[in-house]
Amino acid sequence: MEHDTHPAVRNKTFISVWAILVALTMASVGASSVHAGTASLLVPLLIATVKASLVLWFFMHLKYERALFKVMLLFPLGTLAVIMGLTFVDTWFR
Amino acid sequence: MSTSVASHHSDYTGAKIGMWLFLFTEILLFGGLFLLYAVYRAKSPAEFHEATKHLHLALGLSNTLILLTSSLTAALSVSAIRRGQKYWALWGIGVTVVLALAFLVNKYFEWKEHIGNGMFPGSPALTSLSHGENLFFGLYYTMTGLHGVHVLAGAALLCVVYVFVNREKVNQHSYSLLENACLFWHLVDLIWIYLFPLFYLVT
Amino acid sequence: MEKIEASYLSAYGQRKGLAGWLTSTDHKRIALLYMSAMSVFFLVATFLGVLMRLNLIAPGSHVVSPRAYNSLFTVHGVIMIFLFIIPGIPAVLGNFVLPLQLGARDVSFPRLNLFSWYFYMGGALCALLSLFTGGGAPDTGWTFYVPYSVKTGTNVSLAVFGAFLLGMSSMLTGLNFLTTIHRMRAPGMTWFRMPLFVWALYATGWVQLLATPVLGITLLLVIFERAFGIGVFDPARGGDPILFQHLFWIYSHPAVYIMILPAMGVISEIIPVFARRTIFGYKAIAFSSLAIAIVGYIVWGHHMFTSGMSDMARVVFSLLTFVVAVPSGVKIFNWTASLYKGSITVSSPLLFVLAFIFLFSIGGLTGLINGALSTNIQIHGTYFIVAHFHYVMFGGTGFAFFAGLHYWFPKMFGRMVDEKRAKAACILMFVGFNVLYFPMFILGWQGMPRRYYDYPAHFQPLHSLATVGSWILVAGLLLMLHNLIRTIRHGLPASANPWQGTTLEWHASSPPSIENFDVIPTVTTGPYAYPQNNGVSS
């Protein structure tokens, strides 16, 4: 049976990633309490994206996968971006 | 099934591709809801801000921490099984399931309180509020509800995997099932990572 | 070993008879399961269509009640689209042929494949149950537009849930095929040695995977809206019904490509075989499949030109719609160029293909008329649209499906289809089709709205003509079905490769053995290596 070529990820790596995720969560709560208009929406979303990337990259092993998986992930994300963008072409200009 | 002959050997990479493709469909399933959220948030930002005051940041935050931690234990269980540490793998899965249930209990009390306050879809208390607040709550119930169903499904899946690991059908040499179940679990976490700021942190 | 060499049609495994079929994870058996169920649904929906036409034979001829008429076009649409055209080619021909063409023994996830069939049947059951339960058959049209679909007392929720399950089935089939194509290709079969049908299914798989979930969530929202009144589509609570249309068409326009892409793949398989030469522009056809899949995502707004979208969106979507015609045009030119100077044998599959090219060209070109903003205002919601999409879906996908059936029937059952009857049926259907649908272009242009129960007298000649056309078409259909069913028992035995095809499925016996190939073939050339018919060594 075919297997992953990389060795099992070290626990230390995962725990550090988790610590960063928790820190980022706290940071986004902090950022949202500063009422700065649009920025107070964008900053938490940006932080969420960093967190999501960490989960994908480490927890979901994307870092260790072959290129195929990384490229494929762009398809749904691209699709989502495109359908959101084009819907806004309607709602924004209405 | 009797039809499969020796040639249907298990394809480790194939199974993983299949799982990732399934996760893509989940991304787009929630994507439709994110699309609605984005449009309505853009239309009535002030009302969304008002509506978020009805939610408890502390509950949302604790659920976020619960899910992040459960993602950690799930990831640890995969590493453990690959090192052949059955006990630690079981521990990881077990803690993940417990945290999943904790999340649901939390969510239950949160919903219960809203509904107790008369804030449920179509209720007089809700419809008397502005359109934007109404939409916020419509989306809140739909998105967290659908996410909750996924938490439940993920927990059930992990319970099955727990049994398989215990019986050593999932082991150091064949751990595809555990890895893919954990991929699903991480996706559930991933979606919550976005739901949290969208519902609890909008200002 | 003897057991494995037996035909997949013969009894094997622990369970015999019907149970052996209903629990089989063999891709060939699952294909036939889909085919038998689909034939029934197709006949039901055809009957509903004929009934609709009968009602329209003359103004004031009330064969059915107005309310029943609304249910007729809704149910006709739902069945034809969700139960026949969308799953048709991938689930039947794709399931049967894909692993054979790849030189594989099955798809990547055989059990999931069977599971998809049960999803399909569950969805079909819900859709059919919705006709007789609750408030009666849905009367919203197959598009389930809000706010009417939320307000109507008919049994929309169950029908919508049925469509949700059918979506799951389609999505899981796409997932299965994508993984299969990535993982199960025979040794030596590089991406550019894959048959074009496989390329088409690959592009389709991505569309099934990435578009269907959006429909899923949209339909769930309709159910939630009906059950709880969450208000996201309800203007009275701030919701925007046009967003429903966006979400609906974000799936349903790409769904048009789920229907047509595999059809184009079938055409690309049949043409080189009956022209005895390699396909012209292999890579152009392969890449145009991907291009259609990608561009097909960004044109959905052209269904909503008159719905109250912003002008900016209308201009953008109209422009993008013209772009999507380019890859389809590329294919048409490549097919005709492949026929040019070929040594053509007009057997029944090719006859269906020629009918396809003719009808699909009309359907495609009238699509451009719909896609242009100014003309769209005139013809939106008229019979012009009805004619257009029947030319694309039935004239396109339907005829390609029949072409594929005639082409692969000898492989499926090991028997040759009677050519004379097949050709007669094809010609009859072609004539009936044009008599039925061409007048609708004119009717629509003159302003006849779709989905109307009655009409003013001056539309009568064309309406009556169309009704007569429906009879000719159905006669052809019945002849074809009779001929195919007759073949299963009484057809002449077929050799492994009756058409002298070069793709791998013709290296398996007819009908194929349970495990498809005794030895997995090794591929050394492209798929259409004519004239030297030695592309493969086994």
Side-chain angles (χ1 to χ4, degrees):
Chain A
M1 193 172 152
E2 183 190 2
H3 261 296
D4 273 359
T5 42
H6 70 90
V9 185
R10 291 184 309 161
N11 290 352
K12 222 166 104 184
T13 313
F14 280 147
I15 292 169
S16 330
V17 171
W18 172 78
I20 298 171
L21 286 171
V22 171
L24 284 172
T25 308
M26 294 309 179
S28 67
V29 173
S32 74
S33 59
V34 184
H35 297 280
T38 327
S40 58
L41 172 77
L42 285 181
V43 170
L45 276 185
L46 215 64
I47 294 176
T49 304
V50 174
K51 283 163 67 184
S53 312
L54 285 172
V55 170
L56 281 163
W57 201 245
F58 291 99
F59 285 177
M60 297 173 85
H61 294 165
L62 212 51
K63 181 185 178 199
Y64 313 97
E65 299 291 358
R66 60 185 79 180
L68 173 70
F69 288 89
K70 295 166 192 164
V71 174
M72 279 202 314
L73 180 64
L74 298 176
F75 292 12
L77 299 182
T79 308
L80 198 55
V82 165
I83 61 178
M84 282 213 180
L86 276 171
T87 308
F88 268 89
V89 171
D90 170 22
T91 55
W92 202 262
F93 293 95
R94 233 192 267 161
Chain B
M1 301 262 155
S2 57
T3 54
S4 66
V5 179
S7 61
H8 291 156
H9 60 87
S10 47
D11 175 5
Y12 171 76
T13 305
K16 198 156 32 175
I17 291 178
M19 192 64 211
W20 273 96
L21 293 179
F22 180 71
L23 298 187
F24 295 170
T25 70
E26 295 282 4
I27 291 176
L28 279 140
L29 185 82
F30 280 93
L33 292 170
F34 283 121
L35 174 65
L36 287 181
Y37 182 96
V39 171
Y40 290 141
R41 165 68 174 67
K43 214 162 92 179
S44 36
E47 289 155 326
F48 268 49
H49 177 51
E50 274 309 304
T52 194
K53 287 177 183 161
H54 295 285
L55 301 186
H56 295 298
L57 178 60
L59 278 177
L61 180 62
S62 62
N63 259 353
T64 306
L65 296 177
I66 286 174
L67 272 196
L68 286 177
T69 311
S70 74
S71 241
L72 170 69
T73 51
L76 289 174
S77 74
V78 177
S79 278
I81 199 96
R82 291 190 55 186
R83 293 191 206 99
Q85 300 162 330
K86 177 183 162 189
Y87 171 80
W88 285 107
L90 287 176
W91 179 86
I93 303 167
V95 174
T96 308
V97 172
V98 170
L99 289 171
L101 296 179
F103 177 92
L104 287 173
V105 168
N106 227 339
K107 199 82 229 159
Y108 166 77
F109 282 114
E110 203 179 0
W111 273 38
K112 197 182 161 197
E113 198 201 323
H114 298 315
I115 293 169
N117 293 341
M119 302 286 275
F120 52 87
S123 70
L126 197 55
T127 37
S128 68
L129 296 177
S130 66
H131 281 170
E133 285 170 279
N134 235 307
L135 289 171
F136 179 90
F137 270 96
L139 287 168
Y140 167 76
Y141 277 112
T142 314
M143 293 174 90
T144 57
L146 194 65
H147 179 262
V149 171
H150 280 80
V151 171
L152 201 63
L157 181 63
L158 286 168
C159 286
V160 174
V161 178
Y162 186 95
V163 174
F164 275 61
V165 173
N166 201 24
R167 289 188 191 155
E168 293 180 15
K169 283 194 175 172
V170 169
N171 54 48
Q172 188 173 11
H173 308 290
S174 167
Y175 53 83
S176 186
L177 186 65
L178 174 61
E179 196 178 7
N180 290 333
C182 287
L183 279 178
F184 180 78
W185 187 253
H186 294 309
L187 186 92
V188 172
D189 182 28
L190 209 65
I191 293 196
W192 184 261
I193 284 179
Y194 281 95
L195 291 184
F196 173 60
L198 287 182
F199 285 112
Y200 295 88
L201 299 180
V202 266
T203 48
Chain C
M1 275 314 275
E2 192 183 26
K3 213 177 161 197
I4 292 176
E5 279 159 19
S7 152
Y8 77 101
L9 292 168
S10 61
Y12 67 90
Q14 295 156 342
R15 296 190 186 82
K16 305 277 183 270
L18 191 61
W21 281 80
L22 293 179
T23 57
S24 173
T25 55
D26 179 10
H27 66 101
K28 304 181 286 297
R29 287 192 161 199
I30 293 172
L32 296 196
L33 284 178
Y34 273 112
M35 189 161 76
S36 2
M38 218 171 266
S39 323
V40 175
F41 301 139
F42 177 70
L43 281 177
V44 170
T46 305
F47 174 73
L48 299 179
V50 172
L51 212 57
M52 233 189 307
R53 273 317 323 164
L54 199 61
N55 189 68
L56 294 168
I57 191 166
S61 64
H62 303 312
V63 179
V64 296
S65 72
R67 174 137 185 216
Y69 184 82
N70 289 350
S71 297
L72 275 186
F73 68 69
T74 302
V75 178
H76 170 81
V78 169
I79 296 184
M80 281 296 192
I81 287 174
F82 290 113
L83 292 175
F84 176 65
I85 289 279
I86 287 179
I89 296 183
V92 177
L93 300 177
N95 254 325
F96 195 92
V97 176
L98 176 71
L100 286 166
Q101 282 198 329
L102 290 176
R105 299 208 189 277
D106 208 322
V107 292
S108 275
F109 309 114
R111 261 183 289 182
L112 184 69
N113 203 14
L114 180 65
F115 205 51
S116 305
W117 184 75
Y118 279 101
F119 264 121
Y120 173 82
M121 293 306 282
L125 193 70
C126 287
L128 293 178
L129 272 180
S130 75
L131 304 183
F132 312 108
T133 55
D139 55 353
T140 58
W142 77 278
T143 47
F144 302 117
Y145 268 15
V146 295
Y148 186 64
S149 61
V150 175
K151 304 238 183 276
T152 176
T154 54
N155 204 353
V156 168
S157 298
L158 191 59
V160 158
F161 184 67
F164 178 81
L165 289 181
L166 292 168
M168 289 281 285
S169 161
S170 165
M171 199 179 81
L172 293 174
T173 303
L175 185 156
N176 218 336
F177 285 2
L178 285 179
T179 314
T180 307
I181 295 167
H182 270 284
R183 299 297 300 169
M184 308 279 280
R185 282 171 286 134
M189 184 176 283
T190 56
W191 284 86
F192 290 114
R193 284 182 187 163
M194 293 194 316
L196 287 164
F197 183 51
V198 177
W199 268 107
L201 287 175
Y202 187 72
T204 311
W206 276 108
V207 183
Q208 285 173 304
L209 200 75
L210 297 181
T212 318
V214 182
L215 175 78
I217 193 64
T218 314
L219 296 179
L220 284 182
L221 282 169
V222 170
I223 297 177
F224 291 163
E225 192 81 64
R226 284 176 70 91
F228 309 115
I230 46 174
V232 287
F233 296 135
D234 181 0
R237 299 201 185 140
D240 183 355
I242 295 178
L243 278 181
F244 171 87
Q245 297 188 22
H246 273 299
L247 287 175
F248 182 81
W249 289 112
I250 284 171
Y251 165 73
S252 296
H253 194 76
V256 173
Y257 299 102
I258 298 177
M259 305 172 199
I260 200 67
L261 275 170
M264 291 168 156
V266 171
I267 304 301
S268 309
E269 286 304 307
I270 293 175
I271 283 182
V273 174
F274 293 93
R276 289 284 176 276
R277 52 175 305 214
T278 187
I279 194 102
F280 182 86
Y282 171 88
K283 282 194 181 174
I285 295 181
F287 283 130
S288 64
S289 287
L290 297 181
I292 289 175
I294 294 167
V295 183
Y297 260 97
I298 53 178
V299 300
W300 78 82
H302 66 218
H303 294 269
M304 304 162 56
F305 283 158
T306 60
S307 69
M309 251 189 345
S310 73
D311 286 345
M312 174 63 104
R314 302 201 302 160
V315 172
V316 168
F317 278 121
S318 180
L319 186 73
L320 292 171
T321 301
F322 278 84
V323 176
V324 83
V326 175
S328 305
V330 166
K331 282 190 201 270
I332 298 271
F333 287 126
N334 277 302
W335 292 326
T336 43
S338 304
L339 288 168
Y340 180 65
K341 284 193 175 169
S343 83
I344 296 174
T345 328
V346 186
S347 302
S348 53
L350 190 71
L351 199 60
F352 276 104
V353 167
L354 297 177
F356 166 93
I357 293 181
F358 183 87
L359 299 174
F360 179 71
S361 299
I362 293 180
L365 291 171
T366 51
L368 290 178
I369 301 176
N370 301 339
L373 263 182
S374 48
T375 42
N376 184 279
I377 305 298
Q378 157 81 6
I379 55 183
H380 199 101
T382 68
Y383 267 49
F384 194 91
I385 304 290
V386 178
H388 157 72
F389 70 66
H390 279 95
Y391 265 85
V392 181
M393 290 183 193
F394 191 177
T397 309
F399 272 74
F401 185 44
F402 300 147
L405 268 187
H406 283 82
Y407 178 58
W408 281 304
F409 219 71
K411 183 56 60 189
M412 287 174 164
F413 295 101
R415 304 234 177 221
M416 294 305 287
V417 177
D418 184 285
E419 276 291 301
K420 241 188 210 163
R421 286 197 190 89
K423 284 181 190 167
C426 180
I427 292 167
L428 211 53
M429 282 164 61
F430 180 76
V431 171
F433 183 92
N434 284 296
V435 176
L436 168 55
Y437 294 113
F438 202 84
M440 293 191 187
F441 279 126
I442 306 168
L443 279 171
W445 197 256
Q446 291 172 344
M448 171 74 207
R450 68 194 281 201
R451 294 175 173 173
Y452 272 36
Y453 172 64
D454 209 342
Y455 52 85
H458 65 272
F459 286 135
Q460 190 189 351
L462 289 170
H463 265 299
S464 306
L465 184 63
T467 302
V468 172
S470 73
W471 299 335
I472 305 174
L473 179 58
V474 167
L477 267 175
L478 291 178
L479 179 59
M480 183 187 77
L481 284 177
H482 162 76
N483 189 31
L484 289 177
I485 292 167
R486 195 189 143 275
T487 300
I488 296 173
R489 296 203 129 188
H490 305 291
L492 297 171
S495 66
N497 189 1
W499 310 118
Q500 257 94 73
T502 50
T503 40
L504 287 183
E505 76 270 31
W506 304 111
H507 290 257
S509 51
S510 297
S513 60
I514 295 163
E515 289 285 300
N516 294 349
F517 302 97
D518 300 336
V519 182
I520 295 292
T522 303
V523 181
T524 54
T525 63
Y528 312 107
Y530 284 105
Q532 311 94 320
N533 191 1
N534 57 359
V536 171
S537 59
S538 27

